[in-house]
């Protein structure tokens, strides 16, 4: 969800108002994605490298997450959306973790669409963490290297309960993955748009889905 800061700057607003507008845009996208039949939607809200931003902006993003998971719980429930979080949430404040957990529990049985927020997420730390956990299990269960296959490994990723993404959309004009779902994106279709995230709406999503529907996916076959 890239481009919040530029959206705000273009309007002479502080960056956090761009993030707030971005959070608003997300609600329309959640509904539009579900209407289009999307079963899993994952958004990249905060990367492990975003801590490098000013303390003020980091605080605003943390507050926004807290506000979001807290106030949107009823919305998720009403629309049969299950909330998920991927990333290292252990380092977050207890009050925030409690609010996240409350909404996770409240939406646990929702099966219309799984909506995951990647927060304090990075694909490389995720892969290293998986290797560490797998190593621990190997020692405990006396497994041999040959016992490890892709499926075994993927069980230790944050995304163990999610299918690999079919489509990855990046807004805001940059054409890179920035440490997002590197393992899982092996065969994902990539879609880049110059539209800034706060301007990304139902129509823009439909455009991306149409482009996706025209791609030929061969997964290495012919
Ligand atoms: C949102 O957009 C991405 C987040 C980390 C929340 P940016 O904050 O990167 O916006 P730009 O790139 O400065 O416009
Ligand atoms: Mg950016």
């Amino acid at each position: 969800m890239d481009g919040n800061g530029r959206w705000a700057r273009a309007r002479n607003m502080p960056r956090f108002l761009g993030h707030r507008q971005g959070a608003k845009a997300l609600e329309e996208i959640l509904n539009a994605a579900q209407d289009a039949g999307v079963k899993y939607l994952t958004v990249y809200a905060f990367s492990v490298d975003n801590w490098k931003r000013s303390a003020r902006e980091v605080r605003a993003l943390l507050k926004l997450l807290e506000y979001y998971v807290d106030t949107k719980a009823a919305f998720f429930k009403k629309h049969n959306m299950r909330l998920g979080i991927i990333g290292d949430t252990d380092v977050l404040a207890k009050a925030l973790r409690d609010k996240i957990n409350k909404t996770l529990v409240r939406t646990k049985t929702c099966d219309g669409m799984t909506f995951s927020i990647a927060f304090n997420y990075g694909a490389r730390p995720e892969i290293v963490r998986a290797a560490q956990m797998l190593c621990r299990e190997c020692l405990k269960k006396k497994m041999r290297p040959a016992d490890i296959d892709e499926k075994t490994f993927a069980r230790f990723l944050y995304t163990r309960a999610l299918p690999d993404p079919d489509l990855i959309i990046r807004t805001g004009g940059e054409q890179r993955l920035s440490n997002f779902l590197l393992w899982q994106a092996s065969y994902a279709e990539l879609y880049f748009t110059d539209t800034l995230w706060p301007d990304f709406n139902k129509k823009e999503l439909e455009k991306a889905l149409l482009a996706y529907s025209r791609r030929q996916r061969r997964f290495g076959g012919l």
Side-chain angles (χ1 to χ4, degrees):
M1 302 186 287
D2 200 10
N4 295 345
R6 279 163 284 166
W7 184 92
R9 199 176 58 197
R11 287 161 183 76
N12 274 316
M13 290 173 168
R15 291 180 59 86
F16 79 89
L17 284 181
H19 295 310
R20 200 181 283 175
Q21 194 64 30
K24 272 195 199 136
L26 182 56
E27 188 164 323
E28 178 173 335
I29 293 305
L30 282 168
N31 284 320
Q34 195 174 38
D35 289 349
V38 172
K39 288 287 170 209
Y40 296 87
L41 181 78
T42 303
V43 298
Y44 202 3
F46 193 91
S47 91
V48 289
D49 295 309
N50 285 146
W51 299 105
K52 292 176 194 156
R53 296 188 177 196
S54 73
R56 192 159 171 236
E57 182 165 353
V58 168
R59 215 178 309 121
L61 288 166
L62 288 166
K63 271 280 156 226
L64 195 55
L65 175 70
E66 185 164 342
Y67 172 82
Y68 207 81
V69 295
D70 198 27
T71 61
K72 290 284 182 278
F75 166 87
F76 297 146
K77 191 92 188 133
K78 181 170 155 217
H79 294 276
N80 198 21
M81 293 173 189
R82 178 178 183 163
L83 180 71
I85 297 272
I86 62 170
D88 180 9
T89 50
D90 292 349
V91 301
L92 304 178
K94 178 155 189 321
L96 173 54
R97 275 186 286 135
D98 287 347
K99 281 186 181 143
I100 292 171
N101 279 332
K102 213 169 132 195
T103 304
L104 291 179
V105 170
R106 211 172 144 196
T107 63
K108 215 179 160 79
T109 55
C110 296
D111 58 5
M113 182 170 83
T114 299
F115 166 52
S116 308
I117 302 176
F119 205 93
N120 196 19
Y121 174 86
R124 284 186 175 183
E126 176 187 37
I127 291 167
V128 170
R129 173 180 171 273
Q132 290 172 346
M133 289 164 71
L134 180 55
C135 184
R136 214 170 290 137
E137 176 147 311
C138 283
L139 293 171
K140 207 170 71 192
K141 296 193 176 163
K142 296 203 166 56
M143 288 159 68
R144 292 159 307 169
D147 294 332
I148 299 163
D149 58 11
E150 289 184 12
K151 237 172 121 178
T152 318
F153 191 84
R155 270 204 291 119
F156 295 92
L157 297 171
Y158 292 123
T159 52
R160 63 196 164 276
L162 305 176
D164 285 344
D166 292 311
L167 171 65
I168 293 183
I169 299 171
R170 181 172 185 147
T171 60
E174 314 290 354
Q175 304 199 358
R176 54 176 172 257
L177 287 177
S178 300
N179 219 0
F180 187 56
L181 301 179
L182 297 185
W183 168 283
Q184 300 85 342
S186 293
Y187 283 97
E189 296 293 329
L190 308 180
Y191 179 88
F192 298 102
T193 170
D194 289 338
T195 302
L196 303 174
W197 174 254
D199 294 325
F200 194 81
N201 55 19
K202 184 180 170 89
K203 224 172 119 191
E204 295 278 337
L205 178 73
E206 283 167 355
K207 223 164 88 185
L209 293 176
L210 184 67
Y212 168 79
S213 73
R214 293 188 175 133
R215 304 270 178 95
Q216 273 197 43
R217 306 185 76 196
R218 289 184 291 271
F219 300 94
L222 289 176

